[in-house]
Amino acid sequence: MSNTLQKISVERTKMSKINQIDFDNLSFGNVFTDHMLVCDYKNGVWEAPKIVPYQSLSLDPSAKIFHYGQSIFEGMKAYKDEKDAIWLFRPIENHRRLNISARRMAMPELPEEYFMDGLTALLQVDAAWVPKKAGSSLYIRPFMFATGKGFHASPADEYKFIIACAPSGAYFSGKVKVLIEEKYSRSANGGVGFAKTGGNYAGQFYPTKLAIEKGYNQVIWTDDHAHEYIEEAGAMNIFIRIGDVLITGPTSDRILDGITRKSILEIANREGIATEVRKISVKEVLQAAKKGTLKEMFGAGTAAVVSPISSFGYQGTDYDLPELADSYADLLKKKVTDIQYNRSEDPFGWRLKVS
Ligand SMILES: *Cc1c(COP(=O)(O)O)cnc(C)c1O
Protein backbone atom coordinates (compact mmCIF):
# COMPACT_ATOMS: atom_id res chain seq x y z
CA MET A 1 0.00 0.00 0.00
CA SER A 2 2.95 2.33 0.56
CA ASN A 3 6.70 2.22 0.51
CA THR A 4 7.41 4.57 3.41
CA LEU A 5 6.69 1.78 5.87
CA GLN A 6 9.01 -1.18 6.12
CA LYS A 7 7.58 -4.67 6.24
CA ILE A 8 5.76 -5.21 9.51
CA SER A 9 7.47 -7.79 11.75
CA VAL A 10 5.32 -10.67 12.92
CA GLU A 11 5.92 -12.74 16.04
CA ARG A 12 3.41 -15.55 15.88
CA THR A 13 1.83 -17.10 18.94
CA LYS A 14 3.10 -20.56 19.88
CA MET A 15 -0.33 -21.61 21.12
CA SER A 16 -3.34 -20.49 19.12
CA LYS A 17 -6.53 -20.11 21.19
CA ILE A 18 -8.77 -20.49 18.18
CA ASN A 19 -9.90 -24.03 18.95
CA GLN A 20 -11.18 -22.92 22.35
CA ILE A 21 -13.61 -20.43 20.82
CA ASP A 22 -17.25 -21.34 20.26
CA PHE A 23 -17.83 -19.44 17.01
CA ASP A 24 -21.53 -20.37 17.06
CA ASN A 25 -22.15 -18.56 20.34
CA LEU A 26 -20.10 -15.39 20.22
CA SER A 27 -21.17 -12.39 22.24
CA PHE A 28 -19.74 -8.93 21.72
CA GLY A 29 -16.13 -8.00 22.37
CA ASN A 30 -14.99 -10.36 25.09
CA VAL A 31 -12.83 -12.93 23.36
CA PHE A 32 -9.76 -11.77 21.50
CA THR A 33 -7.74 -13.02 18.57
CA ASP A 34 -4.24 -14.53 18.82
CA HIS A 35 -2.37 -11.37 17.81
CA MET A 36 -2.33 -7.61 18.13
CA LEU A 37 -0.56 -4.77 16.39
CA VAL A 38 1.59 -2.55 18.61
CA CYS A 39 3.33 0.68 17.68
CA ASP A 40 5.23 2.96 20.07
CA TYR A 41 5.73 6.70 19.84
CA LYS A 42 9.04 7.82 21.38
CA ASN A 43 11.39 10.76 20.89
CA GLY A 44 8.89 12.44 18.59
CA VAL A 45 8.53 9.57 16.11
CA TRP A 46 6.41 6.49 15.57
CA GLU A 47 8.59 3.37 15.73
CA ALA A 48 8.01 0.41 13.39
CA PRO A 49 4.69 -1.34 14.10
CA LYS A 50 4.91 -4.99 15.10
CA ILE A 51 2.46 -7.84 15.27
CA VAL A 52 2.88 -9.82 18.50
CA PRO A 53 0.86 -12.41 20.41
CA TYR A 54 -2.13 -10.85 22.23
CA GLN A 55 -0.85 -10.14 25.73
CA SER A 56 -1.09 -7.96 28.83
CA LEU A 57 0.78 -4.67 29.03
CA SER A 58 3.12 -3.36 31.67
CA LEU A 59 2.93 0.38 32.39
CA ASP A 60 4.52 2.73 34.86
CA PRO A 61 2.04 3.81 37.57
CA SER A 62 2.72 7.43 36.60
CA ALA A 63 1.81 6.82 32.94
CA LYS A 64 -0.36 9.80 31.99
CA ILE A 65 -3.20 7.68 30.70
CA PHE A 66 -4.03 6.82 34.33
CA HIS A 67 -4.11 10.40 35.54
CA TYR A 68 -5.02 12.70 32.70
CA GLY A 69 -7.01 10.48 30.39
CA GLN A 70 -5.17 10.88 27.10
CA SER A 71 -6.88 7.96 25.44
CA ILE A 72 -8.62 7.66 22.08
CA PHE A 73 -10.06 4.77 20.10
CA GLU A 74 -11.88 3.66 16.99
CA GLY A 75 -14.43 0.93 16.39
CA MET A 76 -14.66 -0.91 13.09
CA LYS A 77 -15.35 -4.37 11.72
CA ALA A 78 -14.02 -6.93 9.24
CA TYR A 79 -16.61 -9.01 7.37
CA LYS A 80 -16.23 -12.40 5.70
CA ASP A 81 -18.23 -13.06 2.53
CA GLU A 82 -19.58 -16.31 1.08
CA LYS A 83 -16.23 -17.05 -0.58
CA ASP A 84 -14.22 -16.35 2.60
CA ALA A 85 -12.88 -13.04 1.30
CA ILE A 86 -12.41 -10.46 4.09
CA TRP A 87 -13.65 -6.89 3.72
CA LEU A 88 -13.37 -3.61 5.56
CA PHE A 89 -15.93 -0.80 5.40
CA ARG A 90 -14.61 2.76 4.86
CA PRO A 91 -11.45 2.17 6.96
CA ILE A 92 -9.80 5.41 5.81
CA GLU A 93 -12.62 7.25 7.61
CA ASN A 94 -11.62 5.57 10.87
CA HIS A 95 -8.01 6.62 10.36
CA ARG A 96 -9.08 10.18 9.60
CA ARG A 97 -11.22 10.33 12.73
CA LEU A 98 -8.49 8.78 14.91
CA ASN A 99 -6.28 11.71 13.98
CA ILE A 100 -9.07 14.23 14.60
CA SER A 101 -9.41 12.74 18.10
CA ALA A 102 -5.61 12.72 18.54
CA ARG A 103 -5.28 16.40 17.70
CA ARG A 104 -8.00 17.39 20.17
CA MET A 105 -6.41 15.36 22.97
CA ALA A 106 -2.92 16.76 22.24
CA MET A 107 -1.71 13.34 21.11
CA PRO A 108 0.48 12.57 18.08
CA GLU A 109 -1.23 11.81 14.79
CA LEU A 110 -0.59 8.40 13.27
CA PRO A 111 0.46 8.24 9.60
CA GLU A 112 -2.13 6.64 7.33
CA GLU A 113 0.15 3.81 6.18
CA TYR A 114 0.84 2.76 9.79
CA PHE A 115 -2.89 2.42 10.32
CA MET A 116 -3.83 0.83 7.03
CA ASP A 117 -0.80 -1.44 6.53
CA GLY A 118 -0.83 -2.41 10.20
CA LEU A 119 -4.52 -3.22 10.08
CA THR A 120 -4.37 -5.26 6.89
CA ALA A 121 -1.26 -7.16 8.05
CA LEU A 122 -2.97 -8.01 11.36
CA LEU A 123 -6.11 -9.17 9.56
CA GLN A 124 -4.04 -11.39 7.31
CA VAL A 125 -2.33 -13.00 10.33
CA ASP A 126 -5.64 -13.47 12.19
CA ALA A 127 -7.80 -14.12 9.09
CA ALA A 128 -9.13 -17.40 10.48
CA TRP A 129 -10.67 -15.41 13.36
CA VAL A 130 -13.10 -13.45 11.17
CA PRO A 131 -16.36 -15.29 11.82
CA LYS A 132 -18.58 -16.28 8.93
CA LYS A 133 -21.92 -16.99 10.60
CA ALA A 134 -24.67 -14.60 9.46
CA GLY A 135 -24.45 -11.26 11.21
CA SER A 136 -21.17 -11.98 12.93
CA SER A 137 -17.96 -10.10 12.24
CA LEU A 138 -14.54 -9.34 13.63
CA TYR A 139 -14.84 -6.24 15.79
CA ILE A 140 -11.64 -4.19 15.48
CA ARG A 141 -10.49 -1.80 18.17
CA PRO A 142 -7.64 0.54 17.22
CA PHE A 143 -6.63 2.69 20.21
CA MET A 144 -3.91 5.03 21.41
CA PHE A 145 -2.99 6.15 24.91
CA ALA A 146 -0.32 8.03 26.85
CA THR A 147 2.43 5.81 28.26
CA GLY A 148 4.79 8.70 29.07
CA LYS A 149 5.61 9.06 32.77
CA GLY A 150 5.12 11.81 35.30
CA PHE A 151 2.50 13.41 37.53
CA HIS A 152 2.89 16.77 35.86
CA ALA A 153 -0.40 17.72 34.21
CA SER A 154 0.80 18.06 30.64
CA PRO A 155 0.67 15.93 27.48
CA ALA A 156 2.80 12.80 27.63
CA ASP A 157 5.94 12.42 25.55
CA GLU A 158 5.33 8.73 24.82
CA TYR A 159 2.30 6.90 23.44
CA LYS A 160 1.26 3.45 22.35
CA PHE A 161 -1.02 2.59 19.43
CA ILE A 162 -2.58 -0.87 19.45
CA ILE A 163 -5.05 -2.71 17.28
CA ALA A 164 -6.84 -5.58 19.03
CA CYS A 165 -9.67 -7.65 17.56
CA ALA A 166 -12.61 -9.56 18.97
CA PRO A 167 -14.72 -12.02 16.95
CA SER A 168 -18.30 -11.01 17.69
CA GLY A 169 -21.74 -12.45 17.08
CA ALA A 170 -24.74 -10.75 15.52
CA TYR A 171 -25.81 -7.81 17.62
CA PHE A 172 -29.41 -8.50 18.67
CA SER A 173 -30.16 -5.83 21.21
CA GLY A 174 -33.89 -5.86 20.52
CA LYS A 175 -35.77 -2.58 20.58
CA VAL A 176 -34.66 -0.17 23.26
CA LYS A 177 -36.52 2.09 25.64
CA VAL A 178 -34.80 5.42 25.99
CA LEU A 179 -34.96 8.38 28.34
CA ILE A 180 -34.54 11.94 27.06
CA GLU A 181 -31.92 13.48 29.35
CA GLU A 182 -32.78 16.77 31.02
CA LYS A 183 -30.01 17.17 33.57
CA TYR A 184 -26.72 15.59 32.51
CA SER A 185 -24.76 16.30 29.34
CA ARG A 186 -22.48 14.11 27.26
CA SER A 187 -20.63 17.01 25.69
CA ALA A 188 -20.49 20.77 25.48
CA ASN A 189 -19.59 23.50 23.02
CA GLY A 190 -15.82 23.72 22.74
CA GLY A 191 -15.47 20.36 24.48
CA VAL A 192 -14.44 16.91 23.30
CA GLY A 193 -17.78 15.39 22.27
CA PHE A 194 -16.65 14.97 18.65
CA ALA A 195 -13.54 13.03 19.72
CA LYS A 196 -13.66 9.29 20.41
CA THR A 197 -12.00 9.60 23.79
CA GLY A 198 -12.50 7.43 26.86
CA GLY A 199 -13.72 10.22 29.14
CA ASN A 200 -16.80 10.79 27.00
CA TYR A 201 -17.86 7.25 27.87
CA ALA A 202 -16.90 7.43 31.54
CA GLY A 203 -19.07 10.54 31.84
CA GLN A 204 -22.04 8.72 30.34
CA PHE A 205 -22.01 5.73 32.67
CA TYR A 206 -23.54 7.41 35.71
CA PRO A 207 -26.53 9.12 34.00
CA THR A 208 -27.08 5.91 32.02
CA LYS A 209 -27.07 3.90 35.26
CA LEU A 210 -29.75 6.24 36.68
CA ALA A 211 -31.85 5.79 33.52
CA ILE A 212 -31.50 1.99 33.77
CA GLU A 213 -32.69 2.14 37.41
CA LYS A 214 -35.81 3.89 36.12
CA GLY A 215 -36.45 1.08 33.65
CA TYR A 216 -34.88 2.50 30.50
CA ASN A 217 -32.05 0.99 28.45
CA GLN A 218 -30.33 4.13 27.31
CA VAL A 219 -30.16 7.91 27.47
CA ILE A 220 -30.94 10.30 24.61
CA TRP A 221 -28.48 13.15 24.95
CA THR A 222 -29.71 16.68 24.50
CA ASP A 223 -27.73 19.90 24.15
CA ASP A 224 -25.89 20.99 27.27
CA HIS A 225 -27.22 24.53 27.10
CA ALA A 226 -30.99 24.07 27.56
CA HIS A 227 -31.59 20.34 26.90
CA GLU A 228 -33.80 21.47 24.05
CA TYR A 229 -32.32 19.64 21.05
CA ILE A 230 -31.80 15.92 20.51
CA GLU A 231 -28.14 15.04 19.92
CA GLU A 232 -27.18 11.38 20.29
CA ALA A 233 -28.59 8.05 21.47
CA GLY A 234 -26.15 6.65 24.03
CA ALA A 235 -22.92 6.18 22.08
CA MET A 236 -24.72 6.21 18.74
CA ASN A 237 -25.92 8.89 16.38
CA ILE A 238 -29.69 9.28 16.27
CA PHE A 239 -32.19 9.29 13.42
CA ILE A 240 -35.80 10.36 13.75
CA ARG A 241 -38.47 9.72 11.13
CA ILE A 242 -41.35 12.17 11.09
CA GLY A 243 -43.86 11.38 8.37
CA ASP A 244 -41.62 10.05 5.63
CA VAL A 245 -38.68 12.33 6.33
CA LEU A 246 -35.58 10.99 8.03
CA ILE A 247 -33.93 13.60 10.24
CA THR A 248 -30.58 13.65 12.05
CA GLY A 249 -28.74 16.47 13.78
CA PRO A 250 -25.75 18.18 12.19
CA THR A 251 -22.33 17.11 13.48
CA SER A 252 -20.63 19.66 15.68
CA ASP A 253 -18.25 19.99 18.64
CA ARG A 254 -20.83 18.01 20.56
CA ILE A 255 -21.91 15.32 18.13
CA LEU A 256 -19.59 12.58 16.92
CA ASP A 257 -19.23 12.31 13.15
CA GLY A 258 -20.33 8.68 12.81
CA ILE A 259 -19.41 6.68 9.73
CA THR A 260 -22.66 4.71 9.99
CA ARG A 261 -24.59 7.99 10.21
CA LYS A 262 -23.11 9.41 7.05
CA SER A 263 -23.41 6.10 5.19
CA ILE A 264 -27.09 5.87 6.13
CA LEU A 265 -27.67 9.41 4.89
CA GLU A 266 -26.07 8.61 1.52
CA ILE A 267 -27.93 5.32 1.14
CA ALA A 268 -31.25 6.95 2.10
CA ASN A 269 -30.72 9.64 -0.52
CA ARG A 270 -29.97 7.01 -3.13
CA GLU A 271 -33.09 5.07 -2.14
CA GLY A 272 -35.20 8.19 -2.62
CA ILE A 273 -35.88 8.65 1.11
CA ALA A 274 -36.13 12.31 2.01
CA THR A 275 -33.48 13.29 4.57
CA GLU A 276 -32.87 16.42 6.58
CA VAL A 277 -29.72 17.24 8.51
CA ARG A 278 -30.80 19.86 10.98
CA LYS A 279 -31.34 20.51 14.64
CA ILE A 280 -34.35 18.64 15.95
CA SER A 281 -35.98 19.75 19.18
CA VAL A 282 -37.56 17.62 21.88
CA LYS A 283 -40.66 19.78 21.39
CA GLU A 284 -40.93 18.86 17.71
CA VAL A 285 -40.59 15.15 18.53
CA LEU A 286 -43.26 15.41 21.27
CA GLN A 287 -45.65 17.21 18.94
CA ALA A 288 -45.10 14.61 16.23
CA ALA A 289 -45.69 11.82 18.78
CA LYS A 290 -48.98 13.43 19.83
CA LYS A 291 -50.09 13.97 16.21
CA GLY A 292 -49.12 10.43 15.22
CA THR A 293 -46.53 11.53 12.67
CA LEU A 294 -43.56 10.26 14.69
CA LYS A 295 -42.86 6.95 12.97
CA GLU A 296 -39.36 5.84 13.96
CA MET A 297 -36.36 6.62 16.08
CA PHE A 298 -33.15 4.65 15.88
CA GLY A 299 -29.51 4.83 16.90
CA ALA A 300 -26.76 4.30 14.29
CA GLY A 301 -23.24 3.06 14.92
CA THR A 302 -20.75 0.38 13.87
CA ALA A 303 -21.58 -2.22 16.53
CA ALA A 304 -25.35 -2.54 15.98
CA VAL A 305 -25.56 -0.71 12.62
CA VAL A 306 -29.06 0.43 13.59
CA SER A 307 -30.68 0.08 16.99
CA PRO A 308 -34.44 0.70 16.85
CA ILE A 309 -36.12 2.54 19.70
CA SER A 310 -39.49 1.26 20.94
CA SER A 311 -40.39 4.17 23.21
CA PHE A 312 -38.99 7.27 24.84
CA GLY A 313 -39.56 8.80 28.24
CA TYR A 314 -39.76 12.53 28.81
CA GLN A 315 -40.80 14.37 31.98
CA GLY A 316 -42.45 11.31 33.50
CA THR A 317 -44.43 10.21 30.43
CA ASP A 318 -43.53 7.39 28.06
CA TYR A 319 -44.31 7.71 24.36
CA ASP A 320 -44.51 4.55 22.24
CA LEU A 321 -43.35 4.32 18.67
CA PRO A 322 -45.48 2.32 16.23
CA GLU A 323 -44.51 -1.08 14.80
CA LEU A 324 -44.00 -0.48 11.10
CA ALA A 325 -44.04 -3.02 8.30
CA ASP A 326 -41.93 -0.76 6.12
CA SER A 327 -39.42 0.66 8.56
CA TYR A 328 -36.53 2.75 7.31
CA ALA A 329 -34.38 1.21 10.07
CA ASP A 330 -34.80 -2.31 8.62
CA LEU A 331 -34.33 -1.19 5.02
CA LEU A 332 -31.24 0.89 5.75
CA LYS A 333 -29.68 -1.77 7.96
CA LYS A 334 -30.10 -4.29 5.15
CA LYS A 335 -28.59 -1.94 2.56
CA VAL A 336 -25.58 -1.10 4.75
CA THR A 337 -24.87 -4.70 5.75
CA ASP A 338 -25.32 -5.97 2.17
CA ILE A 339 -22.49 -3.65 1.16
CA GLN A 340 -20.38 -4.59 4.20
CA TYR A 341 -20.69 -8.35 3.61
CA ASN A 342 -20.22 -8.10 -0.17
CA ARG A 343 -23.78 -9.25 -0.83
CA SER A 344 -24.61 -6.33 -3.11
CA GLU A 345 -23.03 -3.83 -5.43
CA ASP A 346 -21.02 -1.10 -3.74
CA PRO A 347 -21.99 2.00 -5.74
CA PHE A 348 -20.16 4.27 -3.28
CA GLY A 349 -16.80 2.45 -3.34
CA TRP A 350 -16.85 1.92 0.43
CA ARG A 351 -15.65 -1.68 0.59
CA LEU A 352 -11.97 -2.61 0.81
CA LYS A 353 -10.82 -6.17 0.23
CA VAL A 354 -8.21 -7.41 2.71
CA SER A 355 -7.46 -10.87 1.34
C1 LIG B 1 -18.45 5.81 17.76
C2 LIG B 1 -19.59 6.70 18.06
C3 LIG B 1 -20.69 6.82 17.17
C4 LIG B 1 -20.84 5.99 15.93
O1 LIG B 1 -19.81 6.11 15.01
P1 LIG B 1 -19.62 5.01 13.87
O2 LIG B 1 -18.48 5.54 13.09
O3 LIG B 1 -20.86 4.98 13.09
O4 LIG B 1 -19.35 3.73 14.56
C5 LIG B 1 -21.67 7.73 17.48
N1 LIG B 1 -21.63 8.46 18.61
C6 LIG B 1 -20.62 8.36 19.50
C7 LIG B 1 -20.64 9.19 20.72
C8 LIG B 1 -19.58 7.47 19.26
O5 LIG B 1 -18.58 7.35 20.15
Side-chain angles (χ1 to χ4, degrees):
M1 214 163 238
S2 74
N3 44 24
T4 48
L5 190 65
Q6 307 232 311
K7 207 172 164 311
I8 293 168
S9 72
V10 180
E11 180 197 338
R12 285 186 180 265
T13 181
K14 292 190 182 68
M15 275 266 283
S16 174
K17 297 169 293 194
I18 199 161
N19 292 326
Q20 301 163 23
I21 308 297
D22 180 1
F23 278 88
D24 286 328
N25 293 293
L26 291 168
S27 57
F28 181 79
N30 48 22
V31 292
F32 307 98
T33 63
D34 281 332
H35 300 91
M36 62 186 192
L37 180 99
V38 181
C39 188
D40 287 310
Y41 181 88
K42 283 181 185 157
N43 303 314
V45 288
W46 285 104
E47 298 182 343
K50 325 175 267 215
I51 291 171
V52 296
Y54 187 91
Q55 59 193 272
S56 299
L57 303 170
S58 170
L59 292 178
D60 193 275
S62 78
K64 297 210 182 196
I65 170 62
F66 298 132
H67 309 276
Y68 305 120
Q70 278 183 297
S71 163
I72 59 173
F73 65 94
E74 277 300 317
M76 54 203 300
K77 287 175 171 174
Y79 310 87
K80 198 169 261 180
D81 72 14
E82 278 304 299
K83 293 179 178 153
D84 289 347
I86 295 170
W87 300 88
L88 289 164
F89 182 70
R90 311 187 76 175
I92 305 285
E93 295 289 331
N94 293 96
H95 171 259
R96 198 183 61 92
R97 191 171 61 192
L98 181 82
N99 280 348
I100 289 172
S101 301
R103 224 170 294 148
R104 181 63 182 84
M105 304 310 287
M107 297 166 76
E109 292 180 35
L110 184 78
E112 182 180 304
E113 65 271 21
Y114 281 57
F115 186 92
M116 289 304 300
D117 296 5
L119 176 60
T120 46
L122 178 64
L123 291 175
Q124 280 159 3
V125 171
D126 278 341
W129 286 84
V130 184
K132 196 171 174 180
K133 203 177 171 203
S136 59
S137 60
L138 187 72
Y139 184 78
I140 303 166
R141 172 55 60 89
F143 60 109
M144 189 202 295
F145 56 95
T147 53
K149 298 174 200 170
F151 292 145
H152 190 262
S154 57
D157 55 357
E158 295 184 356
Y159 296 85
K160 204 180 267 296
F161 173 71
I162 297 182
I163 305 179
C165 303
S168 296
Y171 202 100
F172 291 123
S173 57
K175 287 204 170 187
V176 297
K177 237 185 117 173
V178 299
L179 178 64
I180 297 184
E181 183 60 59
E182 291 178 80
K183 177 176 178 190
Y184 296 98
S185 300
R186 192 191 81 86
S187 58
N189 282 328
V192 298
F194 66 95
K196 255 183 134 62
T197 183
N200 283 336
Y201 285 73
Q204 285 187 220
F205 292 158
Y206 178 67
T208 304
K209 186 181 104 172
L210 296 181
I212 290 170
E213 282 167 9
K214 290 185 196 151
Y216 299 94
N217 305 107
Q218 208 177 79
V219 166
I220 298 294
W221 298 105
T222 48
D223 68 280
D224 61 300
H225 178 63
H227 299 288
E228 211 179 326
Y229 293 97
I230 303 232
E231 303 215 313
E232 293 209 56
M236 289 191 266
N237 294 114
I238 187 163
F239 283 87
I240 297 173
R241 174 180 175 184
I242 296 180
D244 286 332
V245 182
L246 193 59
I247 309 163
T248 190
T251 55
S252 67
D253 274 5
R254 302 187 309 267
I255 298 183
L256 192 121
D257 187 2
I259 297 161
T260 316
R261 171 187 172 279
K262 61 184 169 201
S263 304
I264 283 178
L265 281 173
E266 287 191 57
I267 292 173
N269 289 335
R270 198 182 149 91
E271 292 299 308
I273 294 172
T275 60
E276 287 177 7
V277 176
R278 60 167 173 84
K279 287 167 79 171
I280 178 158
S281 66
V282 177
K283 200 168 138 197
E284 180 180 352
V285 171
L286 282 176
Q287 280 170 352
K290 286 172 188 159
K291 275 204 319 210
T293 54
L294 179 68
K295 293 199 183 163
E296 288 179 72
M297 291 171 69
F298 58 89
T302 296
V305 187
V306 304
S307 173
I309 292 168
S310 59
S311 71
F312 69 89
Y314 184 65
Q315 296 187 335
T317 307
D318 284 342
Y319 300 82
D320 287 331
L321 285 128
E323 280 290 337
L324 296 182
D326 57 341
S327 92
Y328 287 171
D330 291 347
L331 173 78
L332 293 165
K333 178 169 187 171
K334 181 172 189 310
K335 294 279 173 189
V336 176
T337 54
D338 281 351
I339 294 176
Q340 291 170 333
Y341 286 89
N342 190 28
R343 290 188 298 244
S344 70
E345 292 298 296
D346 175 18
F348 308 97
W350 288 338
R351 243 179 349 236
L352 181 73
K353 193 172 187 175
V354 176
S355 61

